[in-house]
């Protein structure tokens, strides 16, 4: 059902785009003749665009509010302060932007699926009201696992490292298809996923469990499967972060990391997943704000490096899709140049989409000034606009109505079949690392449980945290649970309370989150072990936690703490399903990192 509030002008504008476009078949490569015909039609659209409109097509800014035209007064004030306009509709009209990105939380773009669909329709109405009406490519970071934007109402799926533990290409592909299908129903047609970084550094502060693992070949297989799943659902997938962010101890949000891999190491460790993504037909690739001296001795950030983007990604790897920057508000790309120059240098390096500029007016006018000064030609702008229109066309935005219906949202988003599939996928990812003397599964007489430990908030809902949700999952399985959320840094009094709560329980399930050598979580686990009550440890984020915890009789990894992973872990602990996950990363010894405590591929079953 199309939005009945559409104006006649909007419908006619949409019809103009439909006439100019071609019917898209997602996931099917066009023949050379078909591609030539498509490009000829798209170039006719470009020929009608002003230079200002062409520059606008390159930008993907953020905005505040749940409505395109009538956000709250607070969000209007935020938009006015940071963007110079009150609404995203005004933003589109002023800068002709080719897309926007949705965020939950701070940007207040996401409340529930129906609202998101209404917002998407409002964005499209604003885009089709432009002098050259071209639908927006609406983007999001919906990686799943620890990085989720749309929570309540949508299907939650295991994140990358959990899928890596499951080692199932069909599960990875299905997860991408389910997520992509729901995003498309919400009017979102570009997802900045999957992560193609190979997490070979356990101390990586920014990638970590967002990666499928530490084996480049396995990561490549999973990346290719996810790309296929997303794009079969009609969503533009995006492999990130090129040329590889998996071996860094620094966060590019706050600094400029340096990847010290040799060229041979880069070819062996970092390149394979991006090659796999390209082989799978990935529509877009995101850059990384980091230096790779082996690829570019000038030490320009990869986002601004013609040597890396044009020389390596385009010429060597053969990628001719859309190159999108990582967020331009991140410190890693702002260390050397001003916010007016960064987008110009990114375009000169080979970028097509400019994501999340910290100041849209400064960035837009920086590119416009570069054009007027002859630094960037109109032909260069046309090149990027054509790539962007290609993916819009492939996603069906130019070959049909860009609007979505509430009926389709209700039918698709959070569908029972999707929820069941997500639950089964998650069960195949939970990894049993230690099981001394058959501690697990819990025995029938072990009905009284204490669930205790670190309790991080859900990525999109701070009112829901790990320990209560895990306790609820056990309650639904017929257990009687007591819960105590001690946090990541429990003090002595909290630890004493946990020890007291363990008395009289049949077993203790203790959760940990990012345990380090000096973490108070180690003391908590040690004190619980000393009670003599059977202790089951669950790492709700990093599988590396076990290296710091000594002789726990049972230990599992869930790779995240969202509902789908916690429920799967509870079913495994209760023996309702077998543990099937295998470590996608090695776990080194805490006292000697040169030695491996658990090898990659380790994972017990209840038959072992």
């Amino acid at each position: 059902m199309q939005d009945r509030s559409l104006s006649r002008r909007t419908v006619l504008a949409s019809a103009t785009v439909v006439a100019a476009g071609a019917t898209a078949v997602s996931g099917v490569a066009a023949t050379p003749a078909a591609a030539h015909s498509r490009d000829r039609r798209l170039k006719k659209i470009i020929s009608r665009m002003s230079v200002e409109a062409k520059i606008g097509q390159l930008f993907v800014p953020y905005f505040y509010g749940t409505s395109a035209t009538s956000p709250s007064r607070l969000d209007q004030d935020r938009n006015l302060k940071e963007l110079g306009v009150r609404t995203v509709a005004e933003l589109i009209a002023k800068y002709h932007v080719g897309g926007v990105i949705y965020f939950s939380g701070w940007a207040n773009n996401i409340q529930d699926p129906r609202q998101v669909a209404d917002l998407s329709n409002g964005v499209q109405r604003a885009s089709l009201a432009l002098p050259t009406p071209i639908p927006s490519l609406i983007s999001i970071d919906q990686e799943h696992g620890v990085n989720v934007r749309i929570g309540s109402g949508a299907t939650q799926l295991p994140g990358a490292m959990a899928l890596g533990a499951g080692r199932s290409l069909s599960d990875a592909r299905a997860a991408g298809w389910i997520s992509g299908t729901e995003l498309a129903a919400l009017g979102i047609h570009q997802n900045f996923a999957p992560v193609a970084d190979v997490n070979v550094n356990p101390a990586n502060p920014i990638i970590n469990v967002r990666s499928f693992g530490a084996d480049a070949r396995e990561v490549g297989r999973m990346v290719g499967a996810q790309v296929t799943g997303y794009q079969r659902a009609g969503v533009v997938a995006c492999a990130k972060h090129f040329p590889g962010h998996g071996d860094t101890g620094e966060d590019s949000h706050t600094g400029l990391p340096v990847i010290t891999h040799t060229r041979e190491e880069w070819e062996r460790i970092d390149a394979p997943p991006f090659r796999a993504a390209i082989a799978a037909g990935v529509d877009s690739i995101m850059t990384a704000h980091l230096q790779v001296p082996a690829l570019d001795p000038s030490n320009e950030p990869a986002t601004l490096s013609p040597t890396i983007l044009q020389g390596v990604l385009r010429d060597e790897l053969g990628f001719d899709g859309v190159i999108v920057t990582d967020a331009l508000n991140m410190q890693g790309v702002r260390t050397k140049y001003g916010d007016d120059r960064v987008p110009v240098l990114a375009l000169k390096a080979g970028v097509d989409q400019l994501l999340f500029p910290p100041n849209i007016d400064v960035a837009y006018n920086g590119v416009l000034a570069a054009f007027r000064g002859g630094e960037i030609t109109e032909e260069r702008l046309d090149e990027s606009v054509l790539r962007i229109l290609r993916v819009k066309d492939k996603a069906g935005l130019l070959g049909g109505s860009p609007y979505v219906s509430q009926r389709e949202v209700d039918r698709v988003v959070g569908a029972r079949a999707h929820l069941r599939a997500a639950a089964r996928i998650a069960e195949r990812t939970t990894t049993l690392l230690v099981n001394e003397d058959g501690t697990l599964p819990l025995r029938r007489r072990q009905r009284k449980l204490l669930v205790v430990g670190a309790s991080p908030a859900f990525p999109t809902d701070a009112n829901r945290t790990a320990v209560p949700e895990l306790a609820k999952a056990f309650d639904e399985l017929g257990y009687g649970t007591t819960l105590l959320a001690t946090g990541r840094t429990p003090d002595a009094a909290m630890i004493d309370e946990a020890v007291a709560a363990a008395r009289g329980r049949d077993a203790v399930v203790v959760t940990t989150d990012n345990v380090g050598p000096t973490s108070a979580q180690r003391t908590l686990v040690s004190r619980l072990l000393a009670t003599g009550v059977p202790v089951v440890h669950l790492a709700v984020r990093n599988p590396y936690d076990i290296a710091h915890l000594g002789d726990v009789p049972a230990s599992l990894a869930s790779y995240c703490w969202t509902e789908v992973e916690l429920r799967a872990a509870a079913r495994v602990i209760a023996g309702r399903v077998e543990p099937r996950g295998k470590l996608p990363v090695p776990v080194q010894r805490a006292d000697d990192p040169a030695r491996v405590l658990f090898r990659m591929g380790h994972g017990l079953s209840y038959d072992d």
Side-chain angles (χ1 to χ4, degrees), residues 105-123:
W106 64 271
N108 193 33
N109 298 145
I110 297 165
Q111 290 180 337
D112 59 71
R114 279 179 154 254
Q115 168 270 317
V116 173
D118 284 341
L119 175 60
S120 296
N121 284 341
V123 167

Side-chain angles (χ1 to χ4, degrees), residues 494-546:
M494 183 65 74
I495 292 172
D496 287 343
E497 185 178 351
V499 169
R503 297 192 182 102
R505 300 286 98 186
D506 297 324
V508 174
V509 179
V510 57
T511 61
T512 63
D513 175 13
N514 200 23
V515 178
T518 61
S519 174
Q521 295 178 79
R522 299 179 67 192
T523 304
L524 171 65
V525 174
S526 177
R527 291 282 305 280
L528 290 170
L529 288 170
T531 66
V533 178
V535 172
V536 177
H537 164 246
L538 175 64
V540 296
R541 187 196 307 253
N542 295 337
Y544 311 109
D545 285 3
I546 182 61

Side-chain angles (χ1 to χ4, degrees), residues 300 303-306 337 341-350 375-376:
E300 287 284 14
T303 299
L304 309 182
S305 169
Y337 306 103
R341 292 297 299 161
V342 166
V344 173
L345 296 174
L347 291 172
K348 292 176 69 174
E375 188 177 5
I376 293 179

Side-chain angles (χ1 to χ4, degrees), residues 81-149:
K81 179 180 178 181
E82 297 182 28
L83 304 173
V85 295
R86 287 182 171 81
T87 69
V88 67
E90 293 177 9
L91 179 72
I92 292 167
K94 183 174 181 179
Y95 296 106
H96 316 274
V97 297
V100 293
I101 182 169
Y102 291 169
F103 287 97
S104 55
W106 64 271
N108 193 33
N109 298 145
I110 297 165
Q111 290 180 337
D112 59 71
R114 279 179 154 254
Q115 168 270 317
V116 173
D118 284 341
L119 175 60
S120 296
N121 284 341
V123 167
Q124 298 299 3
R125 278 193 295 274
S127 298
L128 293 181
L130 293 172
T132 304
I134 300 172
S136 281
L137 189 64
I138 300 172
S139 304
I140 201 165
D141 269 316
Q142 184 82 346
E143 296 173 12
H144 292 280
V146 300
N147 202 15
V148 178
R149 307 304 182 197

Side-chain angles (χ1 to χ4, degrees), residues 143 146-147 160-161 195 206-212 240-241:
E143 296 173 12
V146 300
N147 202 15
M161 192 169 285
V195 172
I206 187 59
I207 303 303
N208 207 276
V209 294
R210 296 167 61 200
S211 164
F212 289 105
K240 61 185 185 185
H241 307 79

Side-chain angles (χ1 to χ4, degrees), residues 30-103:
T31 65
H36 179 73
S37 176
R38 174 206 61 202
D39 282 359
R40 188 168 61 249
R41 290 190 299 269
L42 298 180
K43 287 176 181 178
K44 288 182 180 178
I45 298 175
I46 296 171
S47 70
R48 297 196 295 269
M49 298 171 67
S50 66
V51 167
E52 290 78 7
K54 292 175 182 180
I55 292 172
Q57 276 293 308
L58 313 181
F59 282 96
V60 185
Y62 71 96
F63 65 96
Y64 294 97
T66 56
S67 167
T69 55
S70 56
S72 70
R73 178 59 62 86
L74 175 61
D75 288 328
Q76 289 188 48
D77 291 344
R78 290 172 173 174
N79 284 326
L80 192 60
K81 179 180 178 181
E82 297 182 28
L83 304 173
V85 295
R86 287 182 171 81
T87 69
V88 67
E90 293 177 9
L91 179 72
I92 292 167
K94 183 174 181 179
Y95 296 106
H96 316 274
V97 297
V100 293
I101 182 169
Y102 291 169
F103 287 97

